[in-house]
Amino acid sequence: MSTVISVEHATKSFTMHYHRSLKQIALAKARGRQTSDTFNAVEDVSFTVGQGESVGLMGLNGSGKSTLLKLISGVMQPDSGSVLTRGRIAGLIATGAGFDLQLSGRDNLWLNAAILGMSRAETARKLDEIVEFADLGKFLDTPVTYYSSGMKARLGFAVAIHVDADIFIADEALAVGDRPFKRKCKQKMEEIVAQGTTMFYVSHAPGSVRKLCNRVLVLEQGRLGFDGGVEEGIHYLHYDDDDEDTQTADDGLGVDI
Amino acid sequence: MGDLTRHRARDDAPMVSPSSTTGLVEVFRRRHLLGLLVRTTMKSRYQGTLLGWAWSYLQPAVRFCLFYFLFQVMIGRGAETTPNFAIHLFAGMVIIHFFTETFNGGTQSLVANRSLIIKLAMPKELFPVARMLVALWHTGPMMVILVIACVATGWRPDMVGLGAGLLGFAVTMSLGLAVGLTFAVANVYFRDFGKVAQTLTQFVTFSVPMMYPYTLVAERFGETGAHYYLFNPMAEAVLLIQRCFWTGSTDDPAATAAAHLPDDLWSRGFVMLGATLLLLLLAQLLFARLEKGVPERL
Ligand SMILES: Nc1ncnc2c1ncn2[C@@H]1O[C@H](COP(=O)(O)OP(=O)(O)O)[C@@H](O)[C@H]1O
Ligand SMILES: [Mg+2]
């Protein structure tokens, strides 16, 4: 099994600016207040992922999951340490894909596909399949501004899943989709995992992580708290305590997969 | 399903940093994406208008007619000192418009595409370059109107003139892209740079010989004044464009060129091209350094 993702001592810090204008900064300084604050959203994280592994990335809100995925997908660079990958990466980071809201769904489809590395011919070949999967009907040709968050998720997911990626990233992407769509997405994700695509899947639902993943990483305030098996990971998070209700109520799809 | 055609990275492919790009070089490798960005930028430009792209002909045509009536018919300006003043002015405007649109558009380009940049990885030079190409596309209609006016006054294309025009555009393109790249990334850090760009572009309009003839500069500020005046790459570019269109439209092109253009127009032009290309290289280096911090600051 060859390595496709290698993260070594990666740290990403953010600076929060409380004031932006010179006047505000001067006033804050004069009163002895802090004008900015730096913290590590991802701190000294190391792990490697082999080809075909399906990793569930878990952790509380604000623990750095999306930031870690931004490092892996190349949207951001680590301040120290290194992140290396092999092959094409596609997926959705944080809720909602990257769209130009002024443009129609169809224009955004082409744009997204091109950004993810698909050629004109490749997009044209898969166009019908993508359109059918997104299932937006006549709204495909209206500006994305008027889309509900669920509709945006459909379009983003439809494009990303049809990129022949080596690494697929799904970051709480489906949290806003309706149940039939979630089910369709899960099925598609299982399919590409079966084909040997490496998967990074963020979810707060133990049921869906159990179904889809064979490894769990847990982030705690930016640090890697756990790296190991699925059951142990879920237990580590104490997410198994109330698992029974979710399981029965949600047949493994989870509250917000 | 596309299972059979599923692509796989080779096992022996090297591990790379997912965010690494080769800047402008990569932009021209990803022409499909660049083309889409250019088209979508133009689309949103005329969104909601009934006349659509016809506006890109109407606006400059109206402007040219205004100039013509104001300066040549009403004021009768420069009939003897600056013949065909409307063409003198409009030729300069074509290239100044190209520059200011590249500059201002480039400056806003990263902020305007925030929603894409914070979610997806791509070479960010794409956005200023796309704005430059949009600006270049918009000079098309202005060129058409300029050429019609020139032909009507007896202008015929000559190779030397066309060379001067191309050189002028090359200087403008590399300077516009250089400042566009620099201000695009600076504007992410401090939005003040957007205002600075707007102020500078207003200044540019008056710093080039289009509303007044170049001869006026030497007249008022002497030889040394004119010498420093020509350190402005856009002043040089405007003179090159006027060599391309305006001088040829006057009754005695050779005499007009001799009287109204500096003797060392060509040597200055090539030096300017070298200088602006160097600026472009520096801008690319600066951009590559600063773009790391862009997604988190948008
Ligand atoms: N661009 C940014 N600037 C400043 N702080 C940020 C930025 N992006 C994320 N953060 C902060 O980093 C922390 C981790 O965020 P995130 O990775 O989105 O967490 P998660 O996805 O696990 O909920 C949060 O405290 C968030 O507020
Ligand atoms: Mg998140």
Side-chain angles (χ1 to χ4, degrees):
Chain A
M1 188 172 66
S2 64
T3 306
V4 290
I5 303 173
S6 144
V7 178
E8 273 174 48
H9 302 292
T11 297
K12 178 75 203 170
S13 57
F14 288 129
T15 306
M16 291 186 294
H17 298 275
Y18 300 123
H19 309 285
R20 265 274 156 94
S21 75
L22 277 177
K23 180 188 155 200
Q24 287 176 333
I25 292 172
L27 276 178
K29 283 249 159 76
R31 290 174 186 155
R33 294 210 189 118
Q34 264 192 319
T35 53
S36 67
D37 199 4
T38 304
F39 70 100
N40 291 338
V42 170
E43 193 174 337
D44 197 24
V45 169
S46 300
F47 61 88
T48 59
V49 177
Q51 197 217 305
E53 272 194 90
S54 176
V55 181
L57 182 57
M58 305 183 81
L60 303 178
N61 291 333
S63 57
K65 302 182 296 295
S66 297
T67 306
L68 179 61
L69 293 180
K70 282 182 182 174
L71 296 179
I72 291 172
S73 66
V75 172
M76 289 180 179
Q77 297 176 32
D79 294 312
S80 64
S82 74
V83 176
L84 298 175
T85 59
R86 192 196 326 264
R88 216 193 236 182
I89 305 168
L92 292 106
I93 293 180
T95 41
F99 288 128
D100 185 332
L101 297 180
Q102 303 303 315
L103 300 175
S104 70
R106 191 181 296 277
D107 286 339
N108 270 298
L109 186 164
W110 277 90
L111 200 55
N112 252 293
I115 293 172
L116 292 172
M118 281 165 73
S119 66
R120 184 193 308 275
E122 196 180 350
T123 314
R125 182 155 48 79
K126 293 177 181 165
L127 190 64
D128 291 340
E129 236 179 293
I130 298 173
V131 169
E132 194 194 310
F133 193 94
D135 194 18
L136 291 165
K138 59 183 185 218
F139 294 106
L140 186 65
D141 291 300
T142 60
V144 171
T145 333
Y146 305 128
Y147 283 21
S148 70
S149 45
M151 289 161 78
K152 281 185 220 163
R154 298 171 92 93
L155 184 59
F157 193 91
V159 178
I161 200 86
H162 285 91
V163 176
D164 286 337
D166 299 280
I167 302 166
F168 187 79
I169 289 174
D171 178 11
E172 300 187 59
L174 313 176
V176 288
D178 53 30
R179 282 182 69 79
F181 184 69
K182 277 185 194 176
R183 197 165 286 140
K184 194 158 78 167
C185 292
K186 288 257 309 184
Q187 197 187 341
K188 197 81 189 172
M189 286 198 284
E190 278 164 21
E191 214 172 90
I192 65 166
V193 168
Q195 284 165 8
T197 306
T198 309
M199 167 93 80
F200 248 94
Y201 178 54
V202 175
S203 174
H204 298 290
S208 63
V209 173
R210 263 193 203 107
K211 244 181 155 175
L212 205 63
C213 304
N214 49 33
R215 178 178 170 188
V216 163
L217 300 180
V218 177
L219 282 180
E220 288 173 322
Q221 293 176 4
R223 296 186 146 269
L224 191 59
F226 176 89
D227 178 359
V230 174
E231 283 311 321
E232 297 92 311
I234 290 169
H235 182 69
Y236 181 89
L237 269 169
H238 305 294
Y239 275 13
D240 47 359
D241 302 345
D242 50 7
D243 196 21
E244 285 317 307
D245 322 325
T246 337
Q247 276 286 10
T248 44
D250 252 330
D251 56 17
L253 278 169
V255 266
D256 59 358
I257 64 173
Chain B
M1 307 298 278
D3 302 359
L4 289 175
T5 57
R6 220 169 161 79
H7 120 133
R8 276 273 160 261
R10 293 176 45 175
D11 282 357
D12 55 356
M15 301 278 285
V16 294
S17 164
S19 57
S20 67
T21 84
T22 48
L24 286 173
V25 180
E26 185 152 344
V27 168
F28 290 100
R29 276 206 294 115
R30 302 191 66 175
R31 283 182 299 271
H32 168 53
L33 175 54
L34 183 61
L36 281 175
L37 281 174
V38 170
R39 238 170 301 149
T40 52
T41 309
M42 289 197 291
K43 213 179 215 177
S44 43
R45 171 97 152 209
Y46 295 108
Q47 214 172 38
T49 62
L50 284 174
L51 294 180
W53 57 267
W55 276 113
S56 58
Y57 283 89
L58 268 172
Q59 281 173 330
V62 168
R63 206 174 306 147
F64 181 80
C65 293
L66 269 176
F67 289 162
Y68 181 77
F69 281 107
L70 192 66
F71 291 114
Q72 278 179 240
V73 180
M74 275 174 64
I75 306 181
R77 170 164 185 171
E80 58 287 342
T81 57
T82 323
N84 288 347
F85 186 76
I87 291 178
H88 180 274
L89 177 54
F90 196 74
M93 279 190 49
V94 170
I95 199 144
I96 290 301
H97 193 269
F98 172 48
F99 176 73
T100 53
E101 197 183 329
T102 305
F103 188 6
N104 281 324
T107 302
Q108 298 302 331
S109 63
L110 293 183
V111 173
N113 287 288
R114 173 184 190 277
S115 57
L116 293 178
I117 293 170
I118 61 170
K119 292 281 172 72
L120 298 161
M122 72 205 102
K124 295 174 198 66
E125 287 87 351
L126 272 165
F127 299 103
V129 173
R131 291 302 180 106
M132 185 202 58
L133 292 177
V134 170
L136 189 60
W137 182 263
H138 282 139
T139 61
M142 298 178 83
M143 278 295 194
V144 170
I145 287 156
L146 179 60
V147 168
I148 291 174
C150 283
V151 169
T153 50
W155 173 83
R156 295 292 172 269
D158 66 302
M159 288 318 278
V160 178
L162 290 182
L166 285 179
L167 184 58
F169 262 93
V171 168
T172 309
M173 202 183 273
S174 45
L175 181 68
L177 197 52
V179 290
L181 281 170
T182 307
F183 276 70
V185 72
N187 195 36
V188 172
Y189 284 75
F190 297 101
R191 301 293 148 90
D192 306 62
F193 282 95
K195 308 281 175 218
V196 174
Q198 280 169 8
T199 315
L200 280 178
T201 51
Q202 279 168 15
F203 178 74
V204 166
T205 313
F206 298 100
S207 74
V208 298
M210 60 183 204
M211 298 191 187
Y212 50 85
Y214 170 63
T215 41
L216 190 77
V217 180
E219 225 169 80
R220 296 282 159 86
F221 303 107
E223 280 302 313
T224 10
H227 178 69
Y228 286 113
Y229 179 85
L230 286 181
F231 279 161
N232 173 9
M234 286 318 295
E236 174 66 27
V238 166
L239 288 172
L240 284 166
I241 288 298
Q242 284 167 351
R243 171 62 189 82
C244 180
F245 293 105
W246 172 63
T247 54
S249 75
T250 57
D251 296 336
D252 187 351
T256 314
H260 286 275
L261 300 177
D263 305 329
D264 48 1
L265 178 72
W266 283 94
S267 52
R268 278 183 179 278
F270 283 111
V271 170
M272 271 309 171
L273 183 60
T276 49
L277 283 174
L278 185 67
L279 275 182
L280 179 57
L281 182 71
L282 292 175
Q284 162 75 87
L285 292 176
L286 181 75
F287 191 91
R289 272 184 76 106
L290 294 179
E291 71 157 353
K292 273 190 255 187
V294 165
E296 64 202 68
R297 281 183 178 80
L298 275 170

